């Protein structure tokens, strides 16, 4: 059924009928609008004292009629219009303007945000006759920093070139350019950082975000950094920069935006309204949760990930369409019933409650296993550290195990315990845990509480850091912050600088002196002798010294392998 969109307040029935009748018109795609059609549209716009907008298909069909005010036109909702990754939206926007036509900044912003084929403004003279038409379209490649091209002004029916052929050529060029950015990954992302941090630090954070994306199997085709005192409360990025990013997604064949900063529900809702369903967006927390969902294999890990995902989703359920309602029967169930949003929230709460019970049961089982280990009188060493520092590789090297170890972030989620025998025939239990990362989401930390409980039973924490990483000091500090948040700062620690084989000797020497650390290469077993001796000394010291008062020996003792 034909419908008038926009501001219909104050329209008389015959005026509404005149607007409805516009749907019967078919305009020429090559010229946008003919002179006679333009006269009728201009006269109606002057009679109503309003701007009138038409959304046109490539066949010249009018698919939407929009009524505006004297000086403005409401932005049409584009969410239900088709859009491809390398295609324009498939529709043009033509609207009247009382007085001289002007391609306003707002209209050009709509061109960038919605990927219109064309946007055009037709002036309406004081006598009701149509004036000149000003039109603009996106450019496949920006020229002098400008993303669009403004056509020469023309009279109705006298377009300077075949507009339908122009649009087809634009899409062909966009398709050709996107082929140059083709990646094997199904998702092609643009990374975005909005913060007051210096550019070098912001780039460092995006480097880590890039690694996270690669770990999730996402291809990265671009990155954007905007320095602002604080993110825009509505869209994170400033309006102008957001327009540039949306145009970049079209040119670079991207279908995903990844924000380094966490999005609040209102920002997510606003971005959902400004982007099409083909262009998705996630934040850093969602990306980490997705990686965890891919890596979790044990029942406990899957429960923990689902718990974190549901807690993240709960405040964002309002983004979803709550127009649907379900009627329920019985006493107290008559009337409108529950909205779909209320049903979703109730189901999520029930699922969270069920998951919490299951996790509590898992925690009890893990506690019993720890008690059985403790009854054997063996000290416990827990390996902690930044993700991808080489913790699992070191565990394999120390214990001759075959724990899965990969060169990517969060390759290991489920804790693994093995026996470690020192050269003096002494045994301990050594446990590998999930890696840490800076700004670890609180819900994620809470969800993995059962896993992190292993750390509270440890007699010694073996902190593994990647000495070859330029951000090693920041990563060490990030791990210390998380340990303090977990109230584990009193547990004795030994810092191990891994990957000495690919670290400059001068850099390694400074790091060892600064942190009183032991350098090793988990890939070279002959480099582990000093570490084993230091561990054995510290385990003996822990057993002989009251908890929290042991200070490790400063000297690195040598021994033959």
């Amino acid at each position: 059924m034909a419908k008038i969109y926009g501001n219909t307040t104050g329209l008389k029935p015959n005026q509404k009928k005149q607007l409805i009748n516009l749907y019967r018109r078919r305009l020429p795609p090559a010229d946008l609008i003919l002179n006679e059609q333009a006269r009728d549209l201009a006269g109606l716009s002057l009679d109503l004292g309003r701007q009138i907008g038409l959304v046109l298909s490539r066949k010249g069909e009018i698919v939407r009629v929009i009524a505006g005010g004297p000086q403005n036109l409401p932005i049409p909702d584009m969410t239900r219009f088709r859009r491809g990754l390398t295609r324009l939206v498939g529709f043009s926007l033509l609207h009247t303007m009382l007085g001289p036509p002007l391609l306003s900044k707002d209209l050009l912003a709509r061109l960038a945000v919605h990927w219109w084929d064309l946007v055009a403004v037709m002036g309406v003279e004081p006598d009701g006759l149509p004036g000149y038409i000003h039109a603009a379209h996106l450019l496949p490649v920006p020229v002098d920093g400008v993303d669009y091209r403004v056509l020469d002004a023309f009279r109705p029916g006298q377009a300077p070139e075949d507009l339908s052929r122009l649009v087809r050529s634009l899409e062909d060029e966009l398709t050709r350019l996107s082929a140059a950015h083709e990646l094997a990954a199904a998702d092609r992302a643009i990374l975005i950082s909005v913060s007051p941090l210096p550019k070098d630090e912001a780039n460092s954070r995006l480097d880590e975000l890039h690694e996270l994306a690669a770990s999730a199997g996402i291809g990265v085709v671009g990155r954007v950094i905007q320095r602002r005192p604080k993110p825009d409360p509505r869209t994170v990025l400033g309006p102008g920069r957001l327009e540039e990013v949306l145009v970049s997604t079209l040119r670079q064949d991207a279908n995903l935006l990844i924000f380094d900063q966490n999005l609040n529900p209102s920002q997510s809702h606003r971005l959902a309204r400004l982007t099409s369903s083909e262009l998705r967006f996630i934040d850093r927390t969602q990306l980490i949760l997705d990686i965890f969902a891919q890596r979790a294999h044990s029942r406990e890990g899957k429960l923990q990930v689902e718990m974190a995902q549901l807690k993240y989703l709960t405040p964002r359920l309002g983004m979803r369409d709550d127009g649907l309602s379900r009627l329920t029967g019985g006493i107290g169930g008559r009337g409108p019933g529950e909205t779909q949003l209320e049903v979703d929230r109730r189901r999520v709460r029930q699922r969270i409650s069920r998951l919490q019970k299951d996790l509590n049961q898992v925690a009890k089982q893990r506690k019993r296993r720890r008690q059985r280990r403790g009854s054997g009188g063996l000290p416990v060493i827990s390996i902690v550290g930044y993700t991808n520092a080489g913790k699992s590789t070191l565990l394999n090297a120390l214990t001759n195990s075959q724990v899965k170890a990969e060169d990517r972030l969060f390759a290991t989620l489920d804790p693994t315990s093995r026996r470690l025998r020192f050269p003096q025939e002494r045994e301990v239990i050594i446990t590998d845990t999930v890696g840490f990362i800076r700004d670890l989401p609180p819900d994620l930390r809470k969800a993995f509480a059962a896993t992190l409980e292993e750390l509270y039973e440890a007699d010694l924490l073996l902190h593994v850091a990647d000495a070859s990483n330029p951000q090693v000091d920041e990563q060490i500090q990030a791990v210390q912050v998380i340990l303090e948040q977990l109230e584990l700062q009193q547990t004795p620690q030994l810092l191990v600088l891994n990957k000495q084989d690919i670290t400059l000797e001068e850099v390694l020497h400074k790091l060892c002196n600064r942190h009183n650390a032991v350098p090793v290469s988990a890939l070279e077993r002959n480099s582990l002798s000093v570490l084993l001796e230091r561990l054995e000394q510290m385990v003996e010291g822990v057993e002989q010294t009251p908890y929290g008062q042991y200070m490790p020996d400063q000297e690195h003792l040598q021994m033959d392998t």
Side-chain angles (χ1 to χ4, degrees):
M1 180 180 293
K3 176 183 176 182
I4 304 171
Y5 294 84
N7 180 16
T8 59
T9 304
L11 289 178
K12 298 177 183 179
N14 66 318
Q15 293 174 328
K16 292 182 179 180
K17 185 176 181 180
Q18 287 177 291
L19 290 172
I20 291 292
N21 287 338
L22 291 174
Y23 281 103
R24 301 179 181 178
R25 300 290 184 96
R26 182 182 287 263
L27 308 185
D31 292 307
L32 195 62
I33 190 170
L34 296 178
N35 186 53
E36 183 180 349
Q37 297 167 331
R39 289 172 66 96
D40 293 341
L41 182 62
L44 179 58
S45 181
L46 184 65
D47 181 53
L48 298 180
R50 299 168 180 248
Q51 294 186 11
I52 298 175
L54 303 178
V55 178
L56 312 173
S57 72
R58 292 184 180 175
K59 295 180 180 180
E61 301 167 334
I62 298 176
V63 298
R64 284 196 180 178
V65 176
I66 308 164
Q71 304 295 330
N72 59 71
L73 186 77
I75 299 176
D77 182 10
M78 301 296 298
T79 55
R80 298 185 183 276
F81 287 2
R82 71 96 166 150
R83 185 183 303 174
L85 297 177
T86 60
R87 297 185 301 175
L88 299 169
V89 73
F91 298 89
S92 298
L93 175 64
L94 167 67
H95 77 83
T96 62
M97 180 171 287
L98 302 178
L102 175 66
L103 284 170
S104 65
K105 185 177 180 180
D106 181 55
L107 185 61
L108 292 173
R110 299 183 198 184
L111 173 66
V113 170
H114 297 304
W115 301 348
W116 291 103
D117 290 0
L118 290 168
V119 292
V121 178
M122 184 181 74
V124 177
E125 304 290 346
D127 57 2
L129 294 177
Y132 280 94
I133 296 176
H134 290 245
H137 64 80
L138 287 174
L139 291 170
V141 178
V143 177
D144 296 330
V146 179
D147 290 318
Y148 55 85
R149 172 192 169 213
V150 178
L151 302 178
D152 294 334
F154 61 94
R155 290 287 185 180
Q158 302 177 16
E161 53 187 302
D162 187 326
L163 299 181
S164 60
R165 182 180 299 175
L166 170 65
V167 170
R168 288 196 299 271
S169 66
L170 288 174
E171 282 204 327
D172 290 343
E173 182 65 10
L174 286 168
T175 302
R176 186 187 69 81
L177 292 174
S178 68
H181 298 94
E182 186 173 356
L183 294 171
D187 287 317
R188 298 164 299 282
I190 293 179
L191 310 181
I192 300 173
S193 173
V194 183
S195 74
L197 297 174
K199 191 170 183 179
D200 289 344
E201 190 170 346
N203 267 314
S204 172
R205 290 186 63 93
L206 278 191
D207 288 342
E208 183 174 271
L209 192 66
H210 193 151
E211 291 185 50
L212 285 169
S215 187
I218 298 171
V220 175
V221 297
R223 49 201 290 167
V224 174
I225 295 176
Q226 184 179 37
R227 293 192 63 194
R228 291 172 58 103
K230 59 180 180 180
D232 187 284
R234 295 182 301 171
T235 55
V236 189
L237 282 163
R241 199 60 183 275
L242 178 62
E243 295 163 16
E244 295 176 10
V245 169
L246 293 178
V247 174
S248 295
T249 62
L250 179 63
R251 292 183 177 135
Q252 301 185 56
D253 194 19
N255 64 346
L256 180 64
L257 301 179
I258 304 179
F259 290 85
D260 188 45
Q261 288 70 33
N262 288 334
L263 303 175
N264 61 43
S266 64
Q267 289 168 337
S268 298
H269 179 67
R270 180 68 176 173
L271 288 169
R273 291 184 60 85
L274 290 176
T275 58
S276 70
S277 57
E278 288 84 3
L279 180 62
R280 296 173 291 116
F281 55 90
I282 60 174
D283 58 25
R284 189 170 181 272
T285 297
Q286 286 176 284
L287 179 59
I288 293 174
L289 288 174
D290 184 77
I291 295 171
F292 275 39
Q294 293 180 39
R295 303 287 189 274
H297 298 295
S298 68
R299 176 173 176 269
E300 176 186 356
K302 292 177 180 178
L303 289 174
Q304 291 167 333
V305 170
E306 186 180 356
M307 169 75 82
Q309 288 175 324
L310 289 176
K311 286 187 175 180
Y312 180 87
L313 173 65
T314 301
R316 291 163 175 80
L317 286 175
M319 291 167 48
R320 300 178 58 183
D321 183 11
D322 59 352
L324 298 177
S325 296
R326 297 181 64 184
L327 297 179
T328 57
I331 301 298
R334 297 180 177 86
E338 291 180 296
T339 65
Q340 186 62 45
L341 176 60
E342 291 167 342
V343 172
D344 289 342
R345 284 175 173 165
R346 175 168 52 81
R347 288 176 175 170
V348 168
R349 287 195 299 269
Q350 291 173 345
R351 182 59 180 164
I352 288 176
S353 177
R354 176 62 184 175
L355 288 173
Q356 190 61 62
K357 291 180 181 178
D358 291 344
L359 285 172
N360 290 341
Q361 184 64 30
V362 168
K364 292 179 181 178
Q365 295 171 356
R366 185 177 293 279
K367 184 177 181 180
R368 287 195 289 269
R369 289 197 295 270
R370 289 198 301 269
Q371 289 173 342
R372 286 197 296 271
R373 289 204 307 258
S375 63
L378 296 180
V380 177
I381 299 174
S382 286
I383 302 178
V384 298
Y386 211 79
T387 180
N388 204 33
K391 299 183 297 300
S392 298
T393 306
L394 182 60
L395 176 71
N396 289 335
L398 289 172
T399 62
N400 294 319
S401 302
Q402 298 296 323
V403 175
K404 185 177 180 180
E406 300 178 66
D407 184 17
R408 58 178 178 176
L409 303 188
F410 295 117
T412 303
L413 290 187
D414 300 317
T416 305
S417 296
R418 295 288 187 271
R419 283 179 179 255
L420 170 63
R421 183 183 296 273
F422 289 122
Q424 301 300 325
E425 302 299 321
R426 183 184 185 86
E427 287 190 344
V428 297
I429 299 294
I430 186 166
T431 301
D432 184 20
T433 57
V434 63
F436 295 157
I437 195 168
R438 56 184 159 192
D439 302 329
L440 185 68
D443 285 341
L444 202 55
R445 193 163 59 242
K446 291 177 182 177
F448 277 77
T451 301
L452 297 176
E453 280 182 2
E454 294 279 353
L455 303 180
Y456 293 100
E457 304 295 328
D459 299 293
L460 175 65
L461 297 180
L462 187 61
H463 181 175
V464 180
D466 179 0
S468 66
N469 193 304
Q471 304 295 321
V472 60
D473 286 319
E474 289 79 2
Q475 292 182 354
I476 291 173
Q477 181 60 31
V479 172
Q480 293 299 334
V481 168
I482 294 175
L483 291 176
E484 289 178 7
Q485 292 172 346
L486 297 173
E487 299 182 353
L488 290 166
Q489 66 272 25
Q490 298 300 324
T491 304
Q493 292 185 41
L494 175 61
L495 179 63
V496 177
L497 294 174
N498 190 23
K499 306 183 185 180
Q500 69 169 6
D501 53 320
I502 56 174
T503 306
L504 293 175
E505 185 175 350
E506 180 182 353
V507 173
L508 189 65
H509 181 70
K510 290 180 179 179
L511 288 172
C512 289
N513 289 337
R514 185 183 310 150
H515 298 288
N516 185 31
V518 178
V520 301
S521 171
L523 298 177
E524 300 175 358
R525 293 184 56 83
N526 59 2
S527 70
L528 304 180
S529 57
V530 175
L531 172 61
L532 287 171
E533 187 160 350
R534 287 288 297 276
L535 282 177
E536 189 169 15
Q537 282 185 336
M538 293 187 70
V539 168
E540 291 177 356
V542 167
E543 292 180 333
Q544 299 171 8
T545 307
Y547 177 79
Q549 297 180 10
Y550 175 74
M551 295 299 293
D553 187 0
Q554 300 293 320
E555 297 181 0
H556 290 184
L557 303 179
Q558 301 293 330
M559 64 176 292
D560 296 331
T561 56

